[in-house]
Amino acid sequence: MDTNAQTNDNQAVAPVRGGVVAYLQVDGAMKAAEYYKKALGAEIAALHPVDDQGRTMHVHLYINGTSVMLGDAYPEYGHPLQTPQAFTMMLPVDDIDFWWKRAVDAGMTVELELQVMFWGDRYGQVRDPFGVAWAMNAPVKA
């Protein structure tokens, strides 16, 4: 579905993928969705139309086979923007070098360089321009 895709009463709802689904509140949900397309290969599955301030209450993405939801802050309705903290979005991937390069080339900041960790997998962390931390993990190939 492209960025002009919208959900309404006449369209089927995109299926939610995953057992636990992150719902991120960011400053600029549509900008974040476009960024995640570039940095993480996201696909926009569904979205609600933007309001006159450019905000949307809901964008449904598929990233790495799982649903991730985005929404803008609506302080006038009791949902102010809060700085992301105390969580990391985890991406278990097969081709970690591809995923890592794409994310860094798109402008994600390296927080922890890719390395083989004590549990035996390659792992690293990046942070996106919206303040969200993303970890990538892949088994070391023999």
Side-chain angles (χ1 to χ4, degrees), residues 111-122:
E111 301 266 315
L112 177 66
E113 289 287 347
L114 269 181
Q115 58 192 284
V116 176
M117 300 303 284
F118 64 89
W119 60 85
D121 291 347
R122 290 185 68 211

Side-chain angles (χ1 to χ4, degrees), residues 35-137:
Y35 181 80
Y36 294 151
K37 284 171 59 176
K38 178 179 171 184
L40 301 171
E43 174 190 340
I44 297 175
L47 60 93
H48 284 272
V50 296
D51 65 15
D52 58 356
Q53 296 177 35
R55 302 176 304 179
T56 183
M57 60 183 282
H58 181 73
V59 180
H60 181 172
L61 303 176
Y62 293 140
I63 300 176
N64 194 28
T66 299
S67 291
V68 175
M69 311 294 187
L70 303 174
D72 280 293
Y74 286 85
E76 67 273 28
Y77 296 107
H79 301 283
L81 184 64
Q82 298 174 338
T83 302
Q85 58 187 351
F87 73 92
T88 301
M89 299 293 290
M90 174 64 146
L91 287 167
V93 297
D94 291 326
D95 188 351
I96 198 166
D97 293 312
F98 170 79
W99 280 81
W100 186 264
K101 181 176 181 345
R102 179 173 58 186
V104 171
D105 286 351
M108 287 200 183
T109 303
V110 174
E111 301 266 315
L112 177 66
E113 289 287 347
L114 269 181
Q115 58 192 284
V116 176
M117 300 303 284
F118 64 89
W119 60 85
D121 291 347
R122 290 185 68 211
Y123 178 90
Q125 288 186 5
V126 291
R127 188 169 301 275
D128 70 36
F130 302 91
V132 178
W134 296 82
M136 295 181 196
N137 191 85

